[in-house]
Amino acid sequence: MSQVVIFTDVTYPGFGRYAGTYRIATELRLAGYEVQVIDFFTYWTFPQLCLIIDKFIDHDTVMAGFSCTFMNTLKEFSTRIERQKKWSESSYGVVFGREDILDVMGHIKARNPHTSIVVGGHKANLCEVEPLNKYVDWILNRQSDVSVVKLVEHLTDQSIELKTSYGNVINDSTYPVEDYNKSRIIYDESDLIFPKENLPMEIARGCIFKCTFCSYPLLKKKQWDFTRDPKLICTDLLDAYNKYGTEGFLFADDTYNDSVEKVEKLHEEFVKLPFDLNFSTYARADMMISKPHTMDLLYESGMRSVFFGIETFNREAGKSIGKGMDPQKLRDGLYEAKSRPGWDKIMTTSGFIIGLPHETEESLQETFEWLQRDDCPLDSYSPAVLQIAPTSTIGENMMKHGYEFDSNGKWKSEWMTEEQAEDIVKQWYRGMTKKPRSRFTFTHFNRMKNIGWTLDDFDQRRYSNGESWIRKNELKEQYYHRLINI
């Protein structure tokens, strides 16, 4: 049986796996451990989970891991109010997406009391409170590529010393750059990859920029730090193609086009592949527009779905967060990109943050009206209320940036309140259905392709939510049948 079992999930519409879980599985497998990844964690009934646990956990299993970053806390709840009401009394749904998680963990312990329950991902620290801390043996925060291997070595041989940050918590942020740049994501037969499945592939980690609202790790890194070797990326892409016929990938990279050199080197390697690569990714529109020749390189490399973090078309707001390109130049550049050969086949979307410094309701209304225009080069948009994280530049000195919290813990500024921002987000979402591609943002497209939808289906409005859930459920049932019959 497996020495390590890792539970992960499928969120968002459609079907798509997540790179982090398979990065961890790859590291453990390369270290010599047998690993079984189990997807769709929040979708199984409790009896189904018990059957899965009974099959894969026995006296050889030293670790049962939960990758909690993308556990599906949204399933079956259509509004934010319903979700908040459902999960207000516990953190079970926030971390694991299941109210019965203690029963699940109890069943694991019943199978093998010596199997350590380990939780990783950006919500793992929520397991430090009762009663979860009575069930969770280890918590892995930050980058776990190295620490998870050290932990399993310790669990396998107690004489091997294990360094913790405190108690049972391991905060590992010391992953060497040179090790990451040579890292792999190798899919295994036991992962039950479907034929021609669009798969996640990590390209880089961190960002060379530091926008004032951002609290992600590895900000302001140096060029090529925590960026995988392009030739090694191609080795993994080709491996997936040869094993499963995979040609589509979800590239995990905070800023794919953070330099011209990176775009050019990836393009140089990708066009050598013996198949028509297509991928989705994050990119900066201003970087692309300032170097127009990269527009063609991005298409030729295989980019077919892209998320631009534009955030605002207010000049002063853009300057305040570290995105200072003139808004008119930005809009003109997006029109130019969309007119390039092949760009009609690229699904374009962008994020907009509601509540930035200097942004007013009037300027946001102008942006909204432009996004609704028939000739707008963005197929969709993703509005979000400003979140002030204490580790962001704004959060570290709120008053300097014009913010304070009110008695209810909501931010307010001279330009807007958090309640106003929430109302504007609702208004934007209500207007989003005008364009046929509006519901298929960057994060959804490859996942939708995995359940059989095409770009033409979106453009011709053949898509339906009901049919998508039917297709996803059929895929889930196929997965379960294959899993239980390994």
Side-chain angles (χ1 to χ4, degrees):
M1 289 295 177
S2 301
Q3 294 164 290
V4 176
V5 176
I6 303 176
F7 297 94
T8 185
D9 205 11
V10 178
T11 54
Y12 298 107
F15 170 70
R17 306 176 197 240
Y18 296 100
T21 307
Y22 292 92
R23 266 288 302 130
I24 295 301
T26 297
E27 287 298 311
L28 288 167
R29 287 165 179 161
L30 290 174
Y33 299 103
E34 185 178 345
V35 181
Q36 180 62 54
V37 176
I38 297 170
D39 252 301
F40 287 103
F41 176 68
T42 63
Y43 292 80
W44 308 125
T45 64
F46 182 69
Q48 284 178 315
L49 261 181
C50 288
L51 287 174
I52 292 170
I53 291 168
D54 291 346
K55 181 174 181 63
F56 292 105
I57 292 180
D58 69 355
H59 64 277
D60 293 325
T61 310
V62 297
M63 169 182 152
F66 294 85
S67 178
C68 71
T69 298
F70 293 108
M71 288 298 186
N72 191 353
T73 60
L74 310 184
K75 185 169 67 71
E76 298 178 355
F77 305 110
S78 59
T79 69
R80 179 180 297 180
I81 293 175
E82 288 177 0
R83 293 195 296 272
Q84 289 176 339
K85 181 179 179 181
K86 183 69 176 176
W87 304 119
S88 61
E89 295 180 357
S90 75
S91 60
Y92 304 163
V94 174
V95 183
F96 300 100
R98 301 186 67 103
E99 288 185 307
D100 61 358
I101 186 61
L102 299 185
D103 295 326
V104 173
M105 292 178 175
H107 193 75
I108 291 172
K109 289 294 189 179
R111 284 288 295 168
N112 182 352
H114 302 293
T115 296
S116 288
I117 293 176
V118 181
V119 180
H122 86 274
K123 295 178 285 188
N125 62 312
L126 294 177
C127 295
E128 295 182 44
V129 300
E130 292 186 2
L132 286 172
N133 61 358
K134 296 179 180 179
Y135 287 78
V136 176
D137 297 299
W138 299 94
I139 295 171
L140 299 179
N141 286 326
R142 303 178 186 174
Q143 301 180 81
S144 302
D145 311 66
V146 175
S147 58
V148 71
V149 176
K150 292 180 178 178
L151 174 58
V152 174
E153 288 174 348
H154 171 75
L155 296 176
T156 305
D157 182 353
Q158 298 291 314
S159 68
I160 298 176
E161 185 178 352
L162 180 67
K163 183 179 180 181
T164 64
S165 302
Y166 58 92
N168 66 340
V169 178
I170 303 173
N171 294 320
D172 195 346
S173 57
T174 58
Y175 192 20
V177 171
E178 59 274 15
D179 288 354
Y180 176 81
N181 292 2
K182 297 176 183 177
S183 64
R184 307 278 310 269
I185 294 185
I186 306 170
Y187 291 95
D188 185 77
E189 182 181 354
S190 67
D191 293 329
L192 306 177
I193 305 301
F194 292 97
K196 298 186 177 181
E197 181 182 334
N198 287 241
L199 292 168
M201 187 63 62
E202 192 171 35
I203 305 300
R205 199 173 289 180
C207 185
I208 67 170
F209 306 102
K210 189 179 181 180
C211 299
T212 60
F213 58 83
C214 188
S215 60
Y216 286 177
L218 298 176
L219 297 178
K220 295 196 76 173
K221 68 173 185 176
K222 295 180 181 178
Q223 286 285 359
W224 292 104
D225 278 1
F226 294 98
T227 301
R228 297 181 61 209
D229 182 330
K231 292 183 183 295
L232 201 54
I233 293 170
C234 284
T235 298
D236 289 348
L237 298 177
L238 187 58
D239 180 68
Y241 173 74
N242 289 333
K243 288 179 179 176
Y244 317 110
T246 296
E247 297 183 357
F249 294 86
L250 299 88
F251 281 176
D253 188 345
D254 288 350
T255 315
Y256 181 87
N257 66 335
D258 58 16
S259 74
V260 172
E261 181 186 13
K262 180 181 170 190
V263 171
E264 291 175 341
K265 285 194 173 183
L266 289 170
H267 172 269
E268 180 183 352
E269 297 302 324
F270 289 168
V271 295
K272 297 176 186 176
L273 290 167
F275 60 92
D276 293 327
L277 172 68
N278 67 89
F279 63 86
S280 61
T281 194
Y282 291 96
R284 277 188 64 142
D286 54 356
M287 296 289 288
M288 177 187 72
I289 291 165
S290 65
K291 302 293 182 182
H293 78 284
T294 63
M295 297 177 184
D296 297 324
L297 296 181
L298 290 168
Y299 173 75
E300 292 167 9
S301 297
M303 188 179 79
R304 295 297 181 269
S305 180
V306 60
F307 184 101
F308 295 122
I310 293 172
E311 318 306 0
T312 180
F313 281 121
N314 180 295
R315 185 66 186 274
E316 293 305 312
K319 287 181 179 179
S320 74
I321 62 173
K323 298 192 174 186
M325 179 173 278
D326 178 74
Q328 191 55 53
K329 182 178 181 180
L330 195 52
R331 284 190 286 264
D332 290 344
L334 290 170
Y335 280 113
E336 180 185 352
K338 208 64 173 179
S339 69
R340 296 268 178 151
W343 270 75
D344 61 315
K345 300 181 182 70
I346 297 178
M347 185 171 291
T348 56
T349 190
S350 179
F352 290 90
I353 298 178
I354 312 301
L356 293 173
H358 308 287
E359 187 85 78
T360 64
E361 291 193 56
E362 290 74 22
S363 64
L364 284 169
Q365 182 61 30
E366 291 176 5
T367 296
F368 178 67
E369 290 173 0
W370 181 78
L371 291 169
Q372 296 298 93
R373 285 171 47 171
D374 290 335
D375 70 340
C376 175
L378 292 173
D379 295 312
S380 63
Y381 50 85
S382 178
V385 176
L386 172 67
Q387 301 294 314
I388 302 180
T391 54
S392 68
T393 301
I394 292 178
E396 288 172 348
N397 194 337
M398 289 180 60
M399 292 187 66
K400 176 183 175 181
H401 293 275
Y403 294 89
E404 62 179 323
F405 287 121
D406 63 21
S407 58
N408 295 316
K410 291 183 175 289
W411 57 257
K412 60 180 181 179
S413 71
E414 62 181 280
W415 309 284
M416 195 174 298
T417 66
E418 189 169 348
E419 288 88 349
Q420 287 175 298
E422 290 170 348
D423 288 340
I424 292 170
V425 166
K426 292 175 184 176
Q427 173 196 345
W428 281 34
Y429 271 116
R430 284 195 294 269
M432 193 180 286
T433 58
K434 182 176 180 181
K435 295 183 180 181
R437 297 183 186 177
S438 62
R439 284 179 287 182
F440 307 100
T441 63
F442 147 81
T443 54
H444 300 168
F445 185 45
N446 289 77
R447 296 175 172 92
M448 287 300 188
K449 290 200 292 184
N450 276 338
I451 56 172
W453 295 113
T454 66
L455 187 61
D456 187 60
D457 287 329
F458 302 159
D459 290 345
Q460 300 303 319
R461 299 182 185 272
R462 289 190 287 264
Y463 165 88
S464 75
N465 283 322
E467 175 64 20
S468 287
W469 277 107
I470 291 171
R471 294 184 184 190
K472 185 173 187 174
N473 190 62
E474 289 174 350
L475 208 62
K476 181 198 74 173
E477 293 305 316
Q478 292 176 37
Y479 179 89
Y480 182 77
H481 178 76
R482 294 172 65 193
L483 182 68
I484 214 70
N485 287 287
I486 288 179

